[in-house]
Amino acid sequence: LESLHPQTQALSQAASAHATMKRFLGGEGASRKLAKLTETTPSGDPTAIVSWNINGVVPRSEKNADEVRRFLATCGADCVFLSEVRLKAYCGVPKHKKGDGHERDRRRPQAKDEELDRVRALFDRDAWHAPVYSLSDTKYAGSAVLLKRGGASPKRVWFDLPRVGELDEESPRFGTRHELDGRIILLEYETLLLLHTYSPNNGVDGPHFAKRAAWEERIRTFARDIKEWGRKPLVYVGDLNVAPRDEDLSHPSWFKRENNVNKRRLGRPPAGGWVTERLDPDDEGQPGCSERECRMFRELLSEGAL
């Protein structure tokens, strides 16, 4: 294409893109539905699992569609979790807003038709079931899971952390409760539980520190309860927003120190302004690198036998 006239080159690229869209959408670009997970019989366990922060599924469908398709075609996974999909949950009420109390379908994304078509075109319907989503009120956070057609199929799917007693009870295949930011997807397979989370960032101030600590306590309690339950082991994956060892960082001393220069954290000031007092030493460092976060992660591994 580099040898072609620019206008000819652009037309050739457009034709190639249109051919790809036809393959994944069908017809003359008409929407083709992917097979749903509900159409499968629960069976087996996954043997290859991928977790990926896709940083917005709409921009990836616009800017990196070929790379995404190529990765999904070659990664060899039975199960691909996507975090930070940044699609909002469907709400039938006009001019809805975050936290307005209106009912939402958190498994159904809401966006422009052309955006949803591009997103659907990312996923080869001959290879993958339709994504299973857990979405928030706005284009924030949110998760999804892709499951290989013909591969292991989960018995049940939750979008929050169920009580251990619920695991022993008869329940629908898909849970109805969702973590409100769409940060949790839990799959129960034949011999294991597979948990994916998009853990909240530790932020730059006290309220964010407290939110992250409360989150870690929930996850740690759940993992400990599953260990004591003892029926199936827990496998935990996701964007956990923590770098627990120096080996996980390119420059450990910088990441563990540089957010408490001149008694404040780097970056934009939070809504309440910068903290004026020096931070607790356990909270110093870039988010994900503080000693408090690393300690909480070590405690999770130990108490949950992960």
Side-chain angles (χ1 to χ4, degrees), residues 121-168:
L122 287 176
F123 312 124
D124 186 343
R125 74 171 198 156
D126 296 323
W128 301 97
H129 290 289
V132 177
Y133 288 104
S134 181
L135 303 173
S136 65
D137 288 2
T138 62
K139 296 178 183 179
Y140 171 74
S143 305
V145 61
L146 291 169
L147 296 168
K148 198 79 169 178
R149 294 192 66 175
S153 183
K155 296 174 61 178
R156 289 183 290 187
V157 182
W158 284 274
F159 305 101
D160 66 348
L161 299 177
R163 293 176 292 100
V164 167
E166 294 179 69
L167 299 175
D168 292 322

Side-chain angles (χ1 to χ4, degrees), residues 204-280:
V204 298
D205 56 15
H208 284 89
F209 300 162
K211 178 181 178 181
R212 178 58 183 267
W215 170 273
E216 293 298 332
E217 176 62 25
R218 285 177 62 200
I219 300 296
R220 187 167 63 249
T221 298
F222 179 74
R224 187 173 58 240
D225 290 346
I226 294 300
K227 182 183 73 171
E228 294 173 356
W229 178 60
R231 306 285 181 82
K232 295 180 180 181
L234 178 66
V235 177
Y236 185 26
V237 302
D239 180 352
L240 309 185
N241 260 318
V242 66
R245 302 179 303 173
D246 284 358
E247 293 90 337
D248 299 315
L249 300 169
S250 59
H251 299 80
S253 61
W254 188 91
F255 280 99
K256 290 177 175 291
R257 183 191 68 236
E258 288 300 318
N259 264 10
N260 196 15
V261 174
N262 297 326
K263 300 184 180 180
R264 68 186 183 111
R265 293 203 152 208
L266 301 178
R268 294 181 180 179
W274 291 113
V275 293
T276 55
E277 70 281 1
R278 182 164 290 277
L279 296 170
D280 186 302

Side-chain angles (χ1 to χ4, degrees), residues 54-62 82 84-87 119 122-123 133:
I54 198 168
N55 193 24
V57 71
V58 170
R60 295 294 73 72
S61 71
E62 295 171 341
L82 304 175
E84 203 171 1
V85 295
R86 299 207 320 248
L87 287 168
V119 169
L122 287 176
F123 312 124
Y133 288 104

Side-chain angles (χ1 to χ4, degrees), residues 97-109:
K97 297 180 180 180
K98 180 179 180 179
D100 56 18
H102 293 308
E103 184 176 349
R104 285 168 168 79
D105 183 349
R106 298 191 181 276
R107 288 177 51 199
R108 177 184 174 187

